[in-house]
Amino acid sequence: MKNKFLIALSAFALFSCSDDDFSQAGAQPIDYKVSVTYDETFDNLASKNVSVKLKNTNTSDEYVMATDAQGNANFGSVLPGTYDINATVTLSAAEFTATFGYALETEEVVFNANLNQIVINTNNTMSSLTLKTARLGDLVIKQIYYGGSHAQQGASFRDQFIEIFNNSNEVIYADGLYIAQVMGKMNNTAHPKTQTNGQWDWSQSLGMTIGNNANTNYVYADYVFQIPGNGTQYPIQPGESIVIAQSAQNHKAPLVDLTGEEIPIVNPDLTIDLSNADFEAYLGNFRIQIGEEPYKYDLANPAVPDLLIGYWGREGFWNGNKDFLMDNQGRDSYVIFRTETLDYKDFPTPDVTEIVNTGTSQTKFNLQIPVNIIIDGVETQHANTSSALPQRLPSSIDNSSTKITAAFSSKSVMRKTKTTANGRKILQDTNNSAEDFVEVTANPKGFAN
């Protein structure tokens, strides 16, 4: 069973960027305060000894300090600029009881928070963070291989996969589990229909009627897959995982695509064998059903079960992706969840002003998924700091992000091993991907340490 629960911070920033004076030559350092409190569940108690980090999004310079007894982190001599603010603290069960006056059946409690794209200058000298509870699941996303391998010498993007791990001490059945690719704004340029952190303001989407809850209570998916099964067909043993391949082929061997063309693999060491994956995302039959040609690289492996398609856009407005293609620049995020039915609404991005479907141009829709059903989520990020995108997942799901150094590099992001109990590895899960993940050479069912 779980031996901890997670509490995450939702954040509110007090700032103004009307005078973007941080870029001026010779800008003088300023004092900056970050105030951290618990929410009303904990009587808005000030949060002491919380580690708060300011990271400049342009220079990667960092300032780190702990909050005082009043819950304030008072940074002196901060250079004006645009910053991501991250806060975290871990309390033992004894510390939790001493702080809040009651005990929990857990070993530790983790608190997280983040604010993105905060302009620190003379007009903004303070941010506030409020602690809120979050869900932590026994299934975790263990590895995401989105970057692919060398485009000419390896398998390019065809060898992508995602791995899901049972981090509990009980058997969990994968049957019915949903896997979604979460989208957001694909650049960091200014737009009038964005939130203060630069992410889309979904409350302004066509047809949206729930106000700011659209931003705080939901994420938005390009597409959703579901693991098949009758409920007890696909067990995941404690400390074991399942690998979900884009294409369950031995990518070390040459590929003969659906047109009959042979694609050579110049250097097999750059790619991986996924012919023994647990599931694959084969879309050939679905493509035929919607009147489209199957993708030429989408070959079915009869020995590997196919994922079910939960959502691929609105009927008649199908997603343009031809396969389970993960953005190899890291501009997507990933969540797993369970629900009795996927009967949720879908919406275009807020920049869309009218619904069109002309054959050559059509509106793209995104499925609205409630945050409270998400079991785990991982935010990936662009390799280049200057191209970093606004956070797509709320801090209750992922407090930061992880990334590889370059696309087509044969690298994946893999969750760290926290400890080993009776031979079973337990992976680190603090809902803070910058701390929980490391970059490794892609290794299905391997471990980072």
Side-chain angles (χ1 to χ4, degrees), residues 31 129 135 215 251 255 296 337 345 363 368 409 424:
D31 294 336
L129 306 174
R135 178 179 178 178
N215 299 315
H251 297 285
L255 171 74
K296 66 178 182 179
F337 63 95
K345 296 180 179 180
T363 300
Q368 185 185 58
S409 61
R424 175 176 64 88

Side-chain angles (χ1 to χ4, degrees), residues 376-396:
D376 190 38
V378 177
E379 180 97 3
T380 56
Q381 187 56 273
H382 199 287
N384 297 326
T385 301
S386 61
S387 299
L389 300 178
Q391 189 97 356
R392 294 166 288 267
L393 301 179
S395 61
S396 61

Side-chain angles (χ1 to χ4, degrees), residues 315-388:
E315 185 173 355
F317 296 82
W318 300 114
N319 191 303
N321 278 348
K322 301 177 182 180
D323 205 347
F324 179 26
L325 300 176
M326 293 185 271
D327 186 88
N328 62 13
Q329 299 290 338
R331 294 173 296 185
D332 289 308
S333 298
Y334 306 88
V335 297
I336 56 176
F337 63 95
R338 292 189 188 274
T339 183
E340 291 296 321
T341 175
L342 205 61
D343 187 21
Y344 298 125
K345 296 180 179 180
D346 55 3
F347 298 90
T349 53
D351 58 325
V352 174
T353 58
E354 63 176 337
I355 306 302
V356 298
N357 191 352
T358 64
T360 58
S361 177
Q362 64 182 27
T363 300
K364 179 178 177 293
F365 289 85
N366 309 278
L367 189 67
Q368 185 185 58
I369 300 172
V371 169
N372 63 8
I373 67 171
I374 294 174
I375 297 169
D376 190 38
V378 177
E379 180 97 3
T380 56
Q381 187 56 273
H382 199 287
N384 297 326
T385 301
S386 61
S387 299

Side-chain angles (χ1 to χ4, degrees), residues 393-433:
L393 301 179
S395 61
S396 61
I397 302 300
D398 195 347
N399 191 48
S400 57
S401 61
T402 183
K403 63 182 180 181
I404 57 175
T405 52
F408 301 119
S409 61
S410 304
K411 299 294 185 180
S412 70
V413 291
M414 183 182 287
R415 196 176 289 272
K416 299 175 184 176
T417 300
K418 178 181 178 180
T419 188
T420 301
N422 299 320
R424 175 176 64 88
K425 290 184 182 294
I426 300 172
L427 304 186
Q428 182 168 309
D429 181 21
T430 67
N431 282 18
N432 187 348
S433 287

